[in-house]
Structure formats: structure tokens, C-alpha cells
């Protein structure tokens, strides 16, 4: 059973053995807590977490860390779900939440604590290093799960990534999402936002899923439009999705007739209509069919692929990709490190016998047939079984031996293919790890696969031309999927005849441009694409040539841009206690009349939830509300509740069940609300004069790149000011309004 070393470090003083929970059923086993999130998270950590350390960040700021061990039953891998409590005070390095600001929650009061839920990449030797610095909008590909929830119950899903154990035992993004949704539901989270920046190679999937299913992929869990960029509203988003989804396929064919794109699109439609059991008439129908057909192929391959338990000697990694061939030397090293009781020369002789038998047969041989044939030359069936069990994909001389599953008989078979490449010059992805980089093995492998996918896509789109790609273009494209450019540079520098699946990536210098280029090709020199690549190529063509590049009709491209400018989606949970013994109320603080006139320049923050017995008096509710507000928000340390409104009674002795209905919102007034502190709002930017007022209609920070005018101090999108995304922001900038004003003043003099 494999575990991360960090899970058990510094735990020698534990009095009880830490429990292990099965990953896929853990979410359903969590207690359905009845209180507000700020109380439920403490109960959750007491019940399911094991405190492993307390980290001092700066001054008096400490972070508490808990670990919950999760088991993947299919292969026995154990990995941690870390929960990190981050207290917020004047000494915090990053007290404000950029995610709140971007999703439109910048008017929320700054909370005293926030909790991160993190499943790190397996093999990460320092999984919690700089976790408190991950308060940015940059792509986070270093975690399987990374979520953040403030103690008031508002949170953000920062990233999810699938956990590849081997081809048949992966935890998909759907599995990870189910876990996250169950945690949020059990802890009574109020709202959670997510930035749908899911990419599949170069396609932004929120556009594909939006047109196909009329919602984001996260809509499967109830996430709805939350906040748009560049002035996009919910009505604009819904209208654009509906318009694109209802595009009639026959009309598109007519618009594109007598063009290369038209012929290509008609071929795609004809092929899909021939296979589909239902009629395909709209763009939504076509994309749904392609996506579901692609998914069914992936599921079928997972079912047929061989699964295996992770042996003890593979303690440092979840898997060796079965598609990456190992050279003989690497193969011998790996199995001799295991519990091998035979000398290396006998193991090597057995491999030679197996290869010769497969070459003579020249067709796939079942495990039983190959075992019986090898027995005549080796004699020791235990040795033969050990070698056959260890082979996944092996390079031997100019041949590749591969273990497969026969789709008809469901029996394990071994096949051999000749390759024109010298296996001594071919490096597997795992060879990158031998260079002792600072990144964990899983991130290296993922980055290499990203590069391979980009090169394959480039080859598809440039089938009539040279498929090579310059280092600069490849690096820029990879940075959209991998946030760490240093990691990308390391992999690109290390690539030279690198084997990834059935593909080999080679590096060469273009004799004309003298630039370094990268190229990908099939090991067996088969030019035809696999079925899933065909489907991907069809979806890619529709994405780039129809949705984004529709000729003569800008409405399609404009609608697609509206969908792409709608990144933020939000799920809201209705918080209610299913008990006659408790009732929930939301207490919203109303500033005094003087504060409304002088201090309050934003919408009112959301109220705080309390769960109280219905027989509690109004006077006692004041104490409970005051305690909850002080425990939650930085501006409430000295807040004293003096008045509660929105009730049928005002006397302190009145019972709540006679004064208000469960689930209602009441307002609270008092003294001591410190609106002068810098730890006031999550969207605080340190400059009271600055504001957002862009020509696209944006009136608040939406997470997109902006530039401030040096004259009026108003922030606008760089794109709306004519500054391209790949251009640096100017050091000095004067907006068009101020420039026109200056010219007008000069002319009037």
C-alpha cells in the first residue's frame, strides 16, 4: 500500500492509528452537520481529520494542518486530503481574496479564517510548501483538488485534476468533483464559485459544453452563471448559448458551400448521421453526439485495459504509464529492485526466449501459450511467471513487446512489433525523473503529455504542411495548461527522442530559420489517426472553423466570444435545518445612518447564519448574533449588537417562534463596527479613488487584465484599450477620454 511520506511525518506521538476512508464513498459517509459552516468545519476536523502540524508563517500567524487519508480501492493507493486553517489578521501576507474580487464578492467583509482543502499531486515531496501563497488567479495544476472556503461559508473551487493511477484505475475529474460537492453539502457551505478554465489541448471546454449541453461542465453539479467578464451579463450569456445551440446544421452547410471548410463540415455531419441512432439537426445535437461517442470510447478502453495493484517497491509514484516502453536496461533495473529471487542473467535469458518465441509466431500469443512454449527452454515456471507479470511495454533491440487484453476473449496476450527506432536512443517519460528535477514525477509526466498533445493537434491542423513547431510557439501554448514556465522549460530542454505512448517527440534545428523545433510522429510510422484522434479532430474543426471562425456572419463568432467571456459559475446551497429543535436565521448587519453616508460605498455584505432553538428569546438572539459576527469577521472584533429588526416583536423577552419564521433574514444594528480598518472588504484595493469603468460595461474587477489611467485613475481592460493580450501593459497610460479632454482644453486656449 502506497502513501505519501508527508502524511506520516511528525506523527510518532499519535495515540491512535489514523483511519483510512475509501475515496468514492467518503463523501457519502460524512455526517450531515446541522450548524453553520464556521461550526461544522471544526466538527468535521475533529471527526475525520488528524492534526499533523502547526506552521508559523509570520509574526503571530499560525496555520493548523489536518490530514484525512483516502484509499483508492482499485489499486490500493492511499493519499491525503489536507485541510489547512489560515487565520487572517493585520500580519497576514495576503489577507484579501482575489477570487472573491473576481467573482463579484468584493463587497464581502474579510473573514477571520479560511480553509483550504487540498489533495496534492502524488510524489510531491513538499505538498504544503507555499500553499498560503496560492492566492492568485493563475492556473493551478499542482493539485488533484484545491478548494478554499471562508469561515462565513462562501468559497471557491480553485482547481481539480484527474488522478491517473494507471489506464484502468484512474480517478476521473468527475470522481474528484463528486468528493468536493459532498464535502460542501455536508459542511453546509453557502455559495461556491469556480472559474471554468478547463482546457482540452487548445479548446476552452466551456464553449463546447455550453453549446452542447447549454451549461458549463460544472452545471452537472448545479453551478450556474455567476459573473461575466467584459460586461457580460447572465441574460447575454443565456442568449448566446441558446443561439449557438440552435444553429441548424443544414443552414451551416449552405453558408459554407463550395469551400474547403464546407466540404469538411459536411463530411463530419454525414459520418455522424450515419452512426447516430437519433436525428442530428442542430449544433447542440452534433456536439453532444461527438462528446458522448468520445466518452464511450474512453470508458471501453478503461474496461479492457489490464489493472494492477501498486506493489510496495513503487512507493514513490502511483503508476508507470503502460504506454511508455522501457528499454531492457531500465526494465531489468526496475524488476531487480523488486522481490526478485533470480539472478539478473537468468532473467535476461528468459526475456530473450520470450522475444524469440513472439518473433517466430509473429502474431499475438496468449499468456498460457507463451508460458508453455517458454517452459521448454527456461524450465523454471516461477521465473517465467515473474517476467510475464512484469512486462507492460518493453523495448528489446528493434522490437516492442506489449501486453494487451483481447477484447473478445478477455484474456491477456502478448504481441511484438518491429520499430525503426533504435531503442537505445529512445527515452521514456520516466527518464526525466532521473535528472533529479525539483518537480514531482507526476507533474513532469503531465507536462510531457501536454506538450505531446499540442504537437499532435498542430500536426492535425497542418496535415498538408510540415508538422514541426517552434520552441517559442510550443512554450507559449503549453503555458496555457501548465502554470509553471520553469517546468515547461525543463521538459523542453530534456526532450530528445522522448517516447510518450505510441509517439516519439524529436528535437531539431530548422536549417532555414536556425530555430529549435519539435516534431511528433508515430513509432510504427502509421500515418492514419486513431479513432479517438479522429473524433477530437472533428470537435477541434468545429471549435476553430465554425464557432470561432464562421465566415461572413459575425453573429456566430460574437456569441462564441460572449460564452468564452463567461468564466465564473456559482452554486448556492439552501441552508436549512431539518429539525424541530433548531431554526436558521440570517443576521445582516446594517451600518448606522452616519456610516451609510460617509463610509459605505459598496453593496451590503451578506448576513451571517445562526442556528438557534425556536424557543430562544430575542434578547438571547442578540448575544448569539454578536458572538457569531465576532467569530467570523475581522471588522466585528468590538461589535456590540443593540438592535435586531425584521421581527414581529421588539421586546427582548419575546420568543423567536412567535416573532419570525425559520429561514428568514433579520437585520442587526450596533456599535463598534470598525469600517476604518484595512481588513474591511475582500475586494479592498488600497486606493479609495480608483474605480472600474470600462467601455465594455464592466463596473467591477472581473479578473481580466486591466490598466489604470494616470489622469483619472479609472481602470479599464487592456483589451478594450487596444492593448493585445500578449503585449505588456504600458508604464504610462492615458485613456481616450482624458486624452480627448486634454486636446479640447488646448484648442480652447
Amino acid at each position: 500500500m502506497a502513501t505519501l511520506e508527508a502524511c506520516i511525518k511528525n506523527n510518532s506521538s499519535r495515540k491512535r492509528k489514523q483511519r483510512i476512508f475509501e475515496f468514492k464513498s467518503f463523501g457519502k459517509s460524512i455526517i450531515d452537520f446541522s450548524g453553520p459552516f464556521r461550526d461544522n468545519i471544526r466538527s468535521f476536523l475533529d471527526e475525520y481529520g488528524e492534526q499533523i502540524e502547526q506552521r508559523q508563517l509570520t509574526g503571530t500567524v499560525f496555520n493548523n494542518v489536518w490530514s484525512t487519508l483516502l484509499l483508492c480501492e482499485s489499486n490500493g493507493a492511499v493519499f491525503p486530503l489536507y485541510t489547512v486553517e489560515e487565520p487572517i489578521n493585520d500580519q497576514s501576507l495576503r489577507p484579501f481574496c482575489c477570487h472573491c474580487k473576481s467573482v463579484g464578492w468584493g463587497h464581502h467583509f474579510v473573514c477571520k479564517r479560511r480553509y483550504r482543502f487540498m489533495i496534492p499531486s502524488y510524489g510531491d515531496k513538499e505538498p504544503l510548501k507555499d500553499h498560503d501563497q496560492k492566492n492568485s488567479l493563475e492556473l493551478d495544476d499542482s493539485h488533484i483538488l484545491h478548494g478554499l472556503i471562508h469561515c462565513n461559508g462562501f468559497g471557491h473551487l480553485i482547481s481539480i485534476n484527474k488522478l491517473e493511477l494507471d489506464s484502468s484505475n484512474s480517478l476521473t475529474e468527475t470522481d474528484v468533483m463528486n468528493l468536493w460537492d459532498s464535502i460542501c453539502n455536508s459542511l453546509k457551505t453557502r455559495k461556491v464559485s469556480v472559474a471554468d478554465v478547463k482546457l482540452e489541448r487548445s479548446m476552452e471546454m466551456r464553449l463546447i459544453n455550453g453549446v452542447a449541453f447549454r451549461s458549463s461542465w460544472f452545471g452537472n453539479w448545479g453551478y450556474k452563471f455567476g459573473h461575466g467578464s467584459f460586461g457580460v451579463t447572465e441574460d447575454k450569456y443565456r442568449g448566446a448559448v441558446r443561439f449557438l445551440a440552435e444553429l441548424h446544421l443544414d443552414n451551416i452547410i449552405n453558408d459554407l458551400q463550395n469551400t474547403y471548410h464546407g466540404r469538411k463540415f459536411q463530411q463530419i455531419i454525414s459520418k455522424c448521421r450515419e452512426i447516430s441512432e437519433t436525428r442530428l439537426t442542430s449544433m447542440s445535437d452534433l456536439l453532444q453526439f461527438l462528446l458522448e461517442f468520445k466518452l464511450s470510447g474512453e470508458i471501453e478502453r478503461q474496461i479492457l485495459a489490464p489493472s494492477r495493484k501498486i506493489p510496495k517497491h513503487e512507493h514513490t509514484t502511483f503508476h508507470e504509464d503502460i504506454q511508455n516502453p522501457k528499454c531492457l536496461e531500465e526494465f531489468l533495473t526496475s524488476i531487480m529492485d523488486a522481490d526478485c529471487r533470480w539472478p539478473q542473467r537468468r532473467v535476461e535469458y528468459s526475456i530473450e526466449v520470450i522475444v524469440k518465441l513472439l518473433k517466430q509466431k509473429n502474431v499475438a500469443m496468449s499468456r498460457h501459450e507463451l508460458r508453455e512454449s517458454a517452459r521448454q527452454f527456461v524450465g523454471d515456471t516461477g521465473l517465467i511467471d515473474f517476467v510475464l507479470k512484469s512486462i507492460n511495454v518493453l523495448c528489446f533491440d528493434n522490437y516492442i513487446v506489449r501486453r494487451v487484453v483481447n477484447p473478445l476473449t478477455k484474456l491477456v496476450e502478448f504481441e511484438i512489433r518491429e520499430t525503426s527506432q533504435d531503442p537505445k536512443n529512445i527515452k521514456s517519460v520516466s527518464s526525466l525523473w532521473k535528472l533529479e528535477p525539483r518537480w514531482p514525477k507526476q507533474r513532469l509526466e503531465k507536462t510531457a503529455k501536454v506538450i505531446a498533445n499540442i504537437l499532435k493537434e498542430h500536426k492535425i491542423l497542418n496535415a498538408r504542411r510540415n508538422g514541426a513547431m517552434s520552441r517559442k510557439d510550443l512554450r507559449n501554448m503549453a503555458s496555457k495548461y501548465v502554470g509553471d514556465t520553469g517546468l515547461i522549460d525543463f521538459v523542453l530542454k530534456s526532450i530528445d527522442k522522448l517516447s510518450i505512448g505510441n509517439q516519439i517527440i524529436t528535437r531539431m534545428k530548422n536549417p532555414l530559420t536556425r530555430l529549435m523545433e519539435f516534431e511528433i510522429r508515430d513509432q510504427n510510422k502509421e500515418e492514419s489517426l486513431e479513432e479517438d484522434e479522429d473524433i477530437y479532430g472533428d470537435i477541434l474543426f468545429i471549435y476553430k472553423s465554425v464557432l470561432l471562425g464562421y465566415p461572413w456572419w459575425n453573429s456566430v463568432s460574437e456569441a462564441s466570444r460572449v460564452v468564452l467571456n463567461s468564466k465564473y459559475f456559482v452554486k448556492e446551497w439552501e441552508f436549512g435545518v431539518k429539525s424541530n429543535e433548531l431554526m436558521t436565521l440570517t443576521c445582516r448587519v446594517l451600518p448606522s445612518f452616519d456610516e451609510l453616508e460617509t463610509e459605505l460605498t459598496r453593496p451590503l455584505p451578506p448576513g451571517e447564519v445562526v442556528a438557534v432553538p425556536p424557543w430562544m428569546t430575542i434578547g438571547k438572539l442578540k448575544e448569539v448574533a454578536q458572538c457569531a459576527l465576532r467569530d467570523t469577521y475581522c471588522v466585528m472584533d468590538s461589535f456590540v449588537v443593540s438592535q435586531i429588526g425584521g421581527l414581529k416583536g421588539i421586546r427582548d423577552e419575546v420568543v423567536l417562534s412567535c416573532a419570525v419564521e425559520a429561514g428568514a433574514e433579520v437585520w442587526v444594528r450596533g456599535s463598534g463596527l470598525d469600517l476604518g480598518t484595512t481588513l474591511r472588504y475582500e475586494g479592498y484595493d488600497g486606493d479609495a479613488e480608483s474605480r472600474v469603468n470600462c467601455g465594455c460595461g464592466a463596473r467591477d474587477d472581473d479578473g481580466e487584465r486591466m490598466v489604470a489611467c494616470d489622469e483619472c485613475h479609472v481602470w479599464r481592460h487592456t483589451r478594450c484599450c487596444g492593448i493585445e493580450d500578449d503585449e505588456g501593459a504600458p508604464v504610462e497610460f492615458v485613456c481616450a477620454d482624458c486624452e480627448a479632454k486634454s486636446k479640447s482644453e488646448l484648442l480652447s486656449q
Side-chain angles (χ1 to χ4, degrees), residues 509-539:
K509 183 173 286 188
N510 189 310
L512 298 178
T513 63
R514 310 298 297 172
L515 296 176
M516 189 63 68
E517 293 183 343
F518 294 82
E519 187 178 23
I520 193 167
R521 64 179 182 274
D522 193 89
Q523 289 195 40
N524 301 308
K525 293 190 175 181
E526 295 175 358
E527 295 300 328
S528 59
L529 296 171
E530 296 179 2
E531 186 179 69
D532 58 340
E533 290 296 333
D534 264 341
I535 296 173
Y536 174 78
D538 292 343
I539 299 174

Side-chain angles (χ1 to χ4, degrees), residues 521-662:
R521 64 179 182 274
D522 193 89
Q523 289 195 40
N524 301 308
K525 293 190 175 181
E526 295 175 358
E527 295 300 328
S528 59
L529 296 171
E530 296 179 2
E531 186 179 69
D532 58 340
E533 290 296 333
D534 264 341
I535 296 173
Y536 174 78
D538 292 343
I539 299 174
L540 178 65
F541 173 83
I542 295 171
Y543 177 84
K544 291 199 170 183
S545 301
V546 180
L547 295 178
L548 296 182
Y550 203 103
W552 313 306
W553 195 14
N554 292 331
S555 298
V556 176
S557 299
E558 289 175 359
S560 298
R561 183 54 55 189
V562 168
V563 177
L564 289 174
N565 288 337
S566 306
K567 297 179 183 176
Y568 296 99
F569 297 84
V570 175
K571 178 175 181 178
E572 181 175 5
W573 282 263
E574 292 186 6
F575 179 62
V577 179
K578 299 177 182 179
S579 170
N580 295 326
E581 299 181 357
L582 290 173
M583 63 187 300
T584 58
L585 298 173
T586 303
C587 302
R588 173 175 286 196
V589 176
L590 291 184
S592 65
F593 295 109
D594 292 338
E595 290 167 339
L596 284 171
E597 292 181 357
T598 59
E599 296 287 348
L600 197 67
T601 59
R602 301 169 182 247
L604 286 176
E608 188 55 27
V609 174
V610 296
V612 294
W615 53 84
M616 178 180 284
T617 62
I618 294 177
K620 188 65 176 177
L621 177 61
K622 291 180 181 179
E623 298 178 15
V624 173
Q626 177 177 295
C627 181
L629 292 167
R630 287 185 175 185
D631 183 42
T632 305
Y633 299 109
C634 294
V635 297
M636 303 286 185
D637 277 337
S638 303
F639 185 66
V640 177
V641 175
S642 60
Q643 185 181 5
I644 291 185
L647 306 171
K648 295 179 181 178
I650 58 173
R651 297 194 308 272
D652 285 355
E653 60 270 19
V654 173
V655 176
L656 291 178
S657 59
C658 300
V660 66
E661 294 182 0

Side-chain angles (χ1 to χ4, degrees), residues 19-47:
R19 291 179 294 170
I20 299 176
F21 303 92
E22 204 280 318
F23 183 95
K24 293 186 178 180
S25 62
F26 175 64
K28 298 178 181 178
S29 66
I30 302 176
I31 298 171
D32 188 17
F33 297 101
S34 59
F37 175 84
R38 65 177 180 276
D39 297 330
N40 295 340
I41 182 62
R42 292 161 174 156
S43 301
F44 170 82
L45 295 173
D46 287 342
E47 179 66 25

Side-chain angles (χ1 to χ4, degrees), residues 269-512:
I269 294 176
S270 299
K271 179 174 61 177
C272 293
R273 284 175 170 171
E274 184 178 345
I275 302 173
S276 176
E277 297 178 355
T278 59
R279 188 180 179 188
L280 305 180
T281 59
S282 67
M283 181 63 74
S284 176
D285 296 337
L286 178 61
L287 285 176
Q288 275 191 49
F289 172 79
L290 288 170
L291 291 172
E292 291 170 356
F293 191 82
K294 181 173 178 289
L295 178 62
S296 64
E298 292 173 354
I299 294 173
E300 183 178 357
R301 285 194 298 275
Q302 289 183 5
I303 293 173
L304 296 178
S307 63
R308 62 187 180 94
K309 294 282 183 177
I310 293 182
K312 294 180 180 179
H313 67 272
E314 292 188 18
H315 180 76
T316 58
T317 183
F318 272 138
H319 74 295
E320 283 289 335
D321 191 337
I322 66 167
Q323 298 300 320
N324 292 330
K326 288 184 177 180
C327 64
L328 179 61
E329 181 181 353
E330 184 181 0
F331 176 76
L332 289 171
T333 301
S334 65
I335 65 173
M336 296 309 293
D337 288 341
D339 299 329
C340 180
R341 66 175 187 269
W342 296 275
Q344 181 171 326
R345 58 180 177 79
R346 292 200 62 197
V347 175
E348 191 169 354
Y349 172 73
S350 301
I351 296 172
E352 291 178 4
V353 169
I354 290 171
V355 171
K356 288 180 180 179
L357 290 171
L358 287 170
K359 286 166 60 179
Q360 291 174 2
K361 193 78 171 179
N362 203 26
V363 293
M365 297 178 66
S366 69
R367 181 188 176 280
H368 176 74
E369 181 184 4
L370 185 56
R371 180 180 186 268
E372 292 303 311
S373 299
R375 183 179 180 183
Q376 302 175 29
F377 303 94
V378 179
D380 190 340
T381 54
L383 172 57
I384 299 171
D385 290 338
F386 176 77
V387 173
L388 291 177
K389 181 184 70 174
S390 303
I391 291 177
N392 259 345
V393 184
L394 171 66
C395 278
F396 189 94
D397 292 337
N398 290 330
Y399 293 89
I400 294 180
V401 178
R402 191 184 306 271
R403 182 175 64 185
V404 297
V405 173
N406 188 307
L408 299 178
T409 65
K410 302 296 189 295
L411 296 178
V412 174
E413 294 182 345
F414 292 83
E415 63 180 14
I416 191 167
R417 292 183 184 177
E418 187 174 5
T419 175
S420 59
Q421 294 286 341
D422 183 357
K424 294 180 180 179
N425 296 327
I426 300 176
K427 300 176 183 177
S428 64
V429 178
S430 59
S431 65
L432 300 176
W433 180 247
K434 295 180 180 179
L435 301 176
E436 298 184 358
R438 68 176 186 268
W439 298 275
K441 186 173 184 179
Q442 189 180 17
R443 292 197 68 193
L444 289 170
E445 293 175 345
K446 179 179 178 181
T447 304
K449 290 178 181 178
V450 165
I451 291 171
N453 287 335
I454 292 171
L455 289 171
K456 283 194 283 187
E457 178 185 305
H458 182 75
K459 187 175 181 179
I460 293 172
L461 295 176
N462 297 273
R464 299 179 179 179
R465 302 191 298 272
N466 178 23
M469 195 172 185
S470 70
R471 181 188 180 280
K472 179 181 178 182
D473 292 342
L474 183 55
R475 183 183 189 270
N476 290 341
M477 184 64 72
S479 64
K480 296 180 179 180
Y481 310 91
V482 181
D484 190 340
T485 53
L487 172 58
I488 298 171
D489 290 337
F490 173 80
V491 175
L492 290 176
K493 181 181 69 174
S494 306
I495 285 179
D496 190 14
K497 295 182 180 178
L498 186 72
S499 172
I500 302 178
N502 290 326
Q503 311 290 326
I504 295 178
I505 301 177
T506 55
R507 182 179 61 189
M508 71 211 78
K509 183 173 286 188
N510 189 310
L512 298 178

